[in-house]
Amino acid sequence: MRQEAPLVRLFDPNLNIPVWVATRYKDVVDLVRDPRFTKDMRKIPDGSPSKLRRIDSMEVINRHMLSSDPPDHTRLRTIVSKAFTPRRVEELRPRVTAITYELLDAAKARGEVDLLDAFAFPLPITVIAELLGVPVEDREQFRDWTTTIINPPVNGDLGPIQQAGMQFIQYFQGLLARRRAEPRDDLLTALMAAEEQGDRLSPQELISMLFLLLVAGHETTVNLIGNGVWALLQNPEQMERLRANPALIESAVEEMLRYRSPVETTTQRWATQDIEFRGQVIPAGESVQGSLLAANHDPEQFPEPEKFDIAREPNRHVAFGFGIHFCLGAPLARLEGAIAINLLLERMPRLRLAVEPSQLRWRDGILVHGLQRLPVAF
Ligand code: HEM
């Protein structure tokens, strides 16, 4: 597609609407920063099929920064941005390290595990739940709700997605009421304070923010760890290189993000008018998505893109997106990925796949790119 049809109009079989997909690095970057596209569904021109297929009951969790344009986007992002700066995130290092060791010890005692279930999933969800102040013991519950909501509807049936959305909202309304009675030193309490000031954050925006942070905080980093370990297992010489020189971890994590990007495509952006792009017209109301994974393998940008090189330099990948919606959690994801992978290699000197590589399966859907399971032995 990148060579022959770099911008194609595909058809989303689940929602029954057209979606344009761009695969070249330069096009993806240009599309996501083009202000003629909107992230705000309310601005989709009336009468377009995308608008008609909107899931109305999801509106209440859809008022977050990734579904907003400036100035709302700027206001919403500013409220939480201080909690995710590299400096603030660095303070989490001791806690992330402790959780990582705990999970690795438990996994090692079992000898053979699905690395996603036993390690890659619990680490980021525990970290984001602690940061927000959400009870960690409820994590399986969020996992069910959030995975149902972000995955394509099965047979086009939107019922389960709406139900999971409602359960999520009810759960958080209960939690917020309890926290209002008993404030703590966590992000939930800080966000409630912003809501109480009235003009900064509406009740709907508060619930939406929690939804976004929880989803973004765990559905993605699990696949940075899973896909990263998979890439090392496929390239044993790179795994040995990293074991011999753990200081390479920062560039290794960047290469993992490029090579098997955990978020495969950007989220959707809608044309607010007919937009001419590279000789084609994207009609008003239709949506575009950039393939981050394809952009990250564009030979125009990355020499030998299919080579996994943990010291690749330069490596200006777009795994975290680009422009004003560039991933807010990038410093946290990088910290978690670096700690998880280095400590895994340190603790598990005989780490190996427990199944034939041909038995591994990737998840369906084009938003999240990750394995269904990653059985390993130590
Ligand atoms: C390896 C892990 C991660 C990857 C690959 C990733 C990727 C992305 C991408 C591609 C976007 C932009 C989507 C678009 O423009 O359509 C994004 C946005 C975002 N991410 Fe991440 N993410 C990761 C981890 C996290 C974490 C740990 C958090 C923390 C809570 C987080 C929070 C966010 C938020 C809040 C946005 C929206 C930013 C905005 O609209 O201004 N992400 N992420």
Side-chain angles (χ1 to χ4, degrees), residues 231-335:
L232 290 175
L233 290 166
Q234 301 290 309
N235 296 273
E237 77 299 340
Q238 295 294 315
M239 182 147 81
E240 284 323 305
R241 193 177 173 197
L242 185 54
R243 271 193 215 281
N245 187 359
L248 279 177
I249 190 63
E250 279 175 18
S251 64
V253 164
E254 297 311 306
E255 180 66 344
M256 291 164 187
L257 285 161
R258 182 195 72 82
Y259 188 67
R260 281 295 175 267
S261 316
V263 175
E264 186 162 340
T265 59
T266 64
T267 52
Q268 294 185 335
R269 283 155 172 79
W270 289 275
T272 53
Q273 50 184 274
D274 289 352
I275 296 173
E276 205 184 320
F277 192 85
R278 308 279 187 266
Q280 298 189 75
V281 175
I282 302 172
E286 294 198 358
S287 77
V288 293
Q289 279 179 283
S291 171
L292 301 170
L293 188 56
N296 284 336
H297 286 250
D298 188 338
E300 297 276 316
Q301 181 71 18
F302 302 97
E304 293 192 85
E306 302 312 322
K307 188 171 155 199
F308 177 68
D309 172 6
I310 60 166
R312 182 181 286 271
E313 179 62 44
N315 189 352
R316 294 167 63 87
H317 65 75
V318 283
F320 289 121
F322 191 86
I324 63 166
H325 294 282
F326 179 85
C327 179
L328 174 79
L332 179 57
R334 287 177 161 135
L335 180 88

Side-chain angles (χ1 to χ4, degrees), residues 135-189:
V136 172
E137 56 280 13
D138 297 338
R139 68 185 180 203
E140 290 298 331
Q141 195 72 76
F142 314 134
R143 187 191 203 179
D144 284 350
W145 293 329
T146 56
T147 343
T148 307
I149 295 168
I150 67 162
N151 276 328
V154 182
N155 301 327
D157 179 8
L158 298 175
I161 298 187
Q162 285 166 332
Q163 199 191 350
M166 289 316 295
Q167 286 170 320
F168 183 92
I169 294 161
Q170 279 162 7
Y171 174 86
F172 273 96
Q173 280 166 344
L175 186 61
L176 287 166
R178 292 205 297 282
R179 194 54 47 85
R180 202 155 269 137
E182 251 181 80
R184 285 193 208 162
D185 181 19
D186 56 27
L187 208 50
L188 200 67
T189 310

Side-chain angles (χ1 to χ4, degrees), residues 111-116 229-230 233-234 350-362 371-378:
E112 196 177 307
V113 294
D114 171 6
L115 196 73
L116 302 185
V229 172
W230 172 85
L233 290 166
Q234 301 290 309
R350 291 200 309 278
L351 177 72
R352 59 200 183 278
L353 261 186
V355 294
E356 288 301 315
S358 60
Q359 286 176 270
L360 296 175
R361 295 277 172 274
W362 295 89
L371 290 161
Q372 290 178 0
R373 297 174 66 239
L374 182 56
V376 294
F378 306 121

